[in-house]
Amino acid sequence: MTSESNTKGKLYLIPTTLGEVEPLEVLPLSIKRVIENLDFYIVENEKTVRRFIKRISPKKSQPSLKIQVLNKYTLPEEIPTFITPCLNGYDVGIISEAGCPGVADPGADVVAIAHDKGVQVVPLVGPSSILLALMGSGMNGQSFAFNGYLPIDKAEKKKALKDLEKRSKELDQSQIFMETPYRNDKLLADLTTILAANTQLCVATDITLNTEYIKTQSVSQWKGANVDLHKRPTIFILHAE
């Protein structure tokens, strides 16, 4: 999409799938239409995004794509340049590695700059593992907080979990958090020893995939549970009684 030279382009926040599933099984056709009209992209991983674009729009010219990579290695001073095409009248899309960009994702930095520069930001509909897990948990959808990743240090993790449990009880608020997939099984084991026995815990893994698993029960019921979460994207939610 291009515009008049004195008109700024838009910044589209383009959700992608949460795993290996046909894109149009979980994404609306509006995503396909936008992608077919965009050549400028800001992405976490160029290889996976090119594959995603090819699956959702097979006829789109790959050589025409102009891709900037935004991840933990990107220098802060580089980020403002990523929306230069918008200032020159071209629309730009942000695509994260999975799910919705800007949520637990470095894309938020670009969005903030876009607002500062007067560029219109257009979030598109797509799967968010955080909200889908909350929807499927049976916990408090009126008051909840997403806390991102827990500390790796054992003592710090224990304190963080106790703090979340306390906050949940005081505010009647569901607390959402996540872990690096290869540490999921260890985290679940830690949760069963650190949290109170009657605290409710939801484990939501492989959301939207054929292997999807969502279960809510008390911490005491989770003890000794036979569930394999290793390297499977998982959201955890606790709610203290």
Side-chain angles (χ1 to χ4, degrees):
M1 297 178 185
T2 60
S3 310
E4 297 293 333
S5 59
N6 62 346
T7 302
K8 295 173 182 175
K10 299 176 183 179
L11 182 66
Y12 286 90
L13 308 185
I14 304 173
T16 184
T17 59
L18 297 174
E20 287 301 318
V21 63
E22 280 302 313
L24 294 181
E25 286 187 9
V26 294
L27 298 171
L29 284 174
S30 57
I31 301 291
K32 178 179 174 66
R33 288 194 293 266
V34 168
I35 283 177
E36 286 176 344
N37 287 293
L38 288 183
D39 287 328
F40 292 88
Y41 292 92
I42 302 165
V43 309
E44 274 194 276
N45 185 305
E46 181 172 352
K47 182 179 179 180
T48 57
V49 164
R50 284 186 179 275
R51 186 166 64 244
F52 169 69
I53 291 174
K54 189 173 184 63
R55 290 181 71 182
I56 204 167
S57 182
K59 294 182 180 179
K60 187 168 184 64
S61 170
Q62 289 282 327
S64 70
L65 302 180
K66 301 170 183 65
I67 294 176
Q68 299 276 11
V69 176
L70 176 64
N71 55 31
K72 62 183 180 181
Y73 302 109
T74 304
L75 298 176
E77 57 267 27
E78 290 183 84
I79 297 176
T81 68
F82 290 176
I83 65 164
T84 298
C86 291
L87 304 181
N88 292 330
Y90 295 93
D91 293 339
V92 175
I94 299 182
I95 304 179
S96 64
E97 188 67 1
C100 298
V103 181
D105 180 87
D109 295 334
V110 178
V111 174
I113 293 169
H115 284 299
D116 184 60
K117 298 293 184 181
V119 171
Q120 182 180 348
V121 176
V122 184
L124 300 179
V125 174
S128 164
S129 60
I130 298 165
L131 288 179
L132 290 172
L134 181 63
M135 289 165 60
S137 71
M139 294 187 181
N140 192 347
Q142 297 292 327
S143 180
F144 56 90
F146 176 60
N147 300 279
Y149 291 93
L150 297 179
I152 297 176
D153 179 80
K154 186 175 181 179
E156 292 178 3
K157 182 192 297 181
K158 182 176 181 179
K159 181 181 184 303
L161 284 169
K162 284 294 187 182
D163 288 345
L164 291 181
E165 191 174 43
K166 180 181 178 183
R167 190 186 313 161
S168 175
K169 189 168 185 176
E170 290 177 347
L171 301 177
D172 187 27
Q173 185 179 72
S174 298
Q175 302 296 326
I176 309 170
F177 50 96
M178 59 197 297
E179 179 57 284
T180 302
Y182 69 85
R183 288 199 290 258
N184 280 336
D185 288 332
K186 178 64 168 63
L187 176 59
L188 182 57
D190 289 342
L191 293 172
T192 63
T193 59
I194 294 172
L195 300 177
N198 64 341
T199 290
Q200 292 294 301
L201 175 65
C202 175
V203 174
T205 191
D206 287 351
I207 295 175
T208 74
L209 307 184
N210 292 334
T211 52
E212 180 178 86
Y213 174 89
I214 303 175
K215 189 172 184 63
T216 297
Q217 58 187 3
S218 68
V219 167
S220 62
Q221 290 174 306
W222 277 111
K223 288 186 177 180
N226 184 23
V227 54
D228 180 11
L229 305 176
H230 187 59
K231 293 187 177 180
R232 299 170 68 187
T234 303
I235 297 291
F236 299 88
I237 312 176
L238 69 81
H239 198 107
E241 299 292 327

